[in-house]
Amino acid sequence: MINILFAADPHRWGEYQIPLTKALTDRGLDCAVHLSLSPEEVDYIVYDPSGSLSDFTPYTRCRAVMSLWAGVEKILENITLSLPLTRMVDQGLTRGMVEWVVGHTLRHHLGIDRHVLGQDGVWRDTAAPLAADRSVTVLGMGALGRACAEALADLGFPVNGWNRSRKQIAGVKMHCGATGLTKALSGAQIVVSLLPLTEQTRNLIDATCIASLPKGAVLINPGRGALVDENALIEALDSGHLGHATLDVFEREPLPPEHPFWAHSKITVTPHIASASRPESASIVIAANVWRSQTGRPLLYLVDRESGY
Ligand code: NAP
């Protein structure tokens, strides 16, 4: 019998119980999933930062910790964790992110606010340009960034991508490194940030980076709040250099009610809902990794501690 500890917010167990049990059974695994268990009996931990587990030291038999989240910067701060850690790459999470990014890109591209908010008797009859005339840049071409870039390219946007390693992605002009970043940003009317938060990416979107964008550009950030220098962002919006920022993630979450982002007329705040792991598809990934570990295969989506993602 393989013992799995479900160490996430207990209310999530209601969503995962049926799909996770099914996914493990479909893999032919003889598993019991527990909400609590003596640490020395645990073989795998399914982890979510909203759970209460903070000390991994007593889990001496555990073979891997499997995060339900794609972003792992919080758990990597935990010095008691030396076990292999996997992050979540889930079809449902990816589809949700594509829908959110495409939706918010189209909002700005089409100028939807002008008509939704401007029901004031003024006949504004200028049609929006086509996607082909609006350049979009995606920062971070991982599981989520790549899928978003491909969807935007399919809609006809000229898409530039910036990434640590060079990748070939159909319909996307790729850039790497510091000079590549300036090139990727210099013509971008809309920028989507889907980088992980690491030592290298913290505050990456600073005053210099923002200055390389054309006047009126829009920033869409569903990556992590600390990728963006908040003061530089507000200054650029106030000066008119940036046209708008749509932010889903923040240095402090929930974003405190007194935070200036809430009241800023050029900022849209969404409460870290761009996407989420979906129990059906995420359970299949967890079961696949338990099966891989039990059969001596390498784990999928193993976090590289050196890189921080
Ligand atoms: P991922 O597959 O690990 O992709 C990260 C990408 O960023 C990789 O392509 C990586 O390049 C690139 N990268 C990392 N460091 C870089 C650097 N210093 N310079 C340039 N490129 C760099 O991650 P993911 O699954 O796409 O998720 C991305 C992030 O989205 C997560 O870390 C999380 O913060 C955020 N997220 C947000 C939500 C939400 O609801 N708002 C939901 C899920 C995830 P390589 O290809 O060279 O490794």
Side-chain angles (χ1 to χ4, degrees):
M1 173 71 75
I2 303 161
N3 285 321
I4 300 177
L5 178 68
F6 189 82
D9 187 336
H11 90 264
R12 304 223 66 193
W13 179 234
E15 301 164 10
Y16 273 89
Q17 184 171 12
I18 293 172
L20 184 54
T21 307
K22 179 177 183 313
L24 293 164
T25 308
D26 288 350
R27 279 279 176 181
L29 296 162
D30 183 17
C31 291
V33 186
H34 310 261
L35 293 185
S36 78
L37 186 67
S38 299
E40 62 279 6
E41 292 179 52
V42 172
D43 296 300
Y44 298 95
I45 298 174
V46 174
Y47 177 84
D48 173 330
S50 61
S52 59
L53 176 54
S54 59
D55 183 6
F56 290 91
T57 322
Y59 294 88
T60 47
R61 167 170 139 181
C62 183
R63 297 173 71 162
V65 176
M66 299 171 183
S67 169
L68 288 176
W69 285 21
V72 288
E73 73 284 353
K74 273 198 193 129
I75 188 176
L76 283 179
E77 284 171 7
N78 188 326
I79 55 165
T80 70
L81 178 66
S82 54
L83 295 161
L85 170 68
T86 61
R87 59 192 194 81
M88 182 51 69
V89 176
D90 155 36
Q91 278 181 6
L93 171 72
T94 303
R95 289 318 305 162
M97 185 59 79
V98 167
E99 291 175 16
W100 188 91
V101 165
V102 167
H104 285 276
T105 301
L106 287 177
R107 168 194 173 196
H108 295 297
H109 166 59
L110 296 174
I112 286 174
D113 288 6
R114 263 198 306 283
H115 306 289
V116 171
L117 306 174
Q119 302 275 323
D120 51 7
V122 178
W123 190 254
R124 298 178 179 87
D125 61 354
T126 310
L130 291 175
D133 299 317
R134 177 97 55 201
S135 176
V136 179
T137 289
V138 180
L139 306 178
M141 301 297 284
L144 300 175
R146 179 185 186 134
C148 292
E150 287 172 340
L152 293 165
D154 282 350
L155 282 171
F157 290 102
V159 179
N160 285 267
W162 185 68
N163 201 53
R164 198 163 80 143
S165 59
R166 193 162 287 282
K167 291 181 176 168
Q168 294 250 328
I169 300 174
V172 180
K173 188 168 178 201
M174 287 297 301
H175 306 268
C176 294
T179 48
L181 180 60
T182 312
K183 275 190 197 148
L185 295 176
S186 61
Q189 290 169 275
I190 299 177
V191 179
V192 179
S193 164
L194 270 165
L195 290 159
L197 180 60
T198 67
E199 288 294 307
Q200 285 70 41
T201 62
R202 183 176 293 279
N203 271 335
L204 181 100
I205 305 172
D206 61 4
T208 311
C209 182
I210 292 171
S212 37
L213 289 164
K215 189 169 169 16
V218 167
L219 172 68
I220 299 178
N221 183 24
R224 280 293 181 263
L227 298 172
V228 182
D229 177 335
E230 291 193 354
N231 293 328
L233 175 66
I234 289 183
E235 274 172 31
L237 290 164
D238 289 345
S239 73
H241 182 66
L242 280 187
H244 197 93
T246 295
L247 309 173
D248 184 58
V249 280
F250 306 91
E251 287 224 37
R252 209 175 131 202
E253 294 181 4
L255 186 67
E258 66 280 5
H259 195 285
F261 283 173
W262 283 113
H264 201 291
S265 61
K266 292 183 178 172
I267 293 180
T268 299
V269 169
T270 62
H272 202 147
I273 43 76
S275 193
S277 302
R278 313 291 153 151
E280 274 73 18
S281 40
S283 293
I284 290 170
V285 175
I286 289 165
N289 258 343
V290 173
W291 176 80
R292 291 180 76 91
S293 172
Q294 290 296 119
T295 54
R297 291 168 169 82
L299 291 170
L300 299 170
Y301 318 127
L302 194 62
V303 172
D304 173 2
R305 279 156 203 272
E306 281 286 299
S307 313
Y309 65 97

